[in-house]
Amino acid sequence: MIKLYIIMGYIFILNLTSYIMTGYDKKKARTYGWRVPEKRFFILAFLGGATGIYLGMKKFRHKTKHGLFVYGIPLIILLNLVVYYYLIFKV
């Protein structure tokens, strides 16, 4: 039971961080500020934050013309779901 809470907490915090980072990068894009490297988005996505990035893309209309994000993030979401299932039900 504690394992489930730890996994769910990890997923929530990582996706919230990813969502906020997407909004932050959009704000910096508008003001020509220091940007978040795309590599960092994909690292967070592979660590489990792809859903947060995807929701941020939709909410802030950010990175929606980049094919790597438009097709890559949904594929990573599927990968995340497989890993979550394995962690929750198989371990």
Side-chain angles (χ1 to χ4, degrees):
M1 187 61 134
I2 292 176
K3 176 183 80 165
L4 179 62
Y5 289 127
I6 291 171
I7 292 170
M8 297 304 288
Y10 169 82
I11 292 168
F12 176 77
I13 291 170
L14 191 59
N15 280 288
L16 180 63
T17 302
S18 299
Y19 179 82
I20 291 169
M21 190 175 72
T22 305
Y24 172 80
D25 191 53
K26 177 64 176 192
K27 181 179 179 183
K28 291 299 180 178
R30 287 185 185 156
T31 60
Y32 303 102
W34 185 265
R35 301 288 304 277
V36 176
E38 291 184 356
K39 180 180 176 181
R40 190 162 301 153
F41 283 109
F42 282 98
I43 289 170
L44 283 174
F46 277 110
L47 290 174
T51 303
I53 293 171
Y54 183 79
L55 294 174
M57 286 171 55
K58 295 298 181 181
K59 170 69 176 171
F60 305 114
R61 288 189 266 166
H62 190 49
K63 303 280 188 194
T64 57
K65 294 183 180 180
H66 296 259
L68 193 58
F69 280 84
V70 172
Y71 300 110
I73 296 298
L75 287 174
I76 298 172
I77 289 172
L78 293 175
L79 176 66
N80 287 173
L81 290 173
V82 169
V83 171
Y84 297 158
Y85 176 83
Y86 179 78
L87 287 174
I88 292 170
F89 296 109
K90 300 294 184 182
V91 174

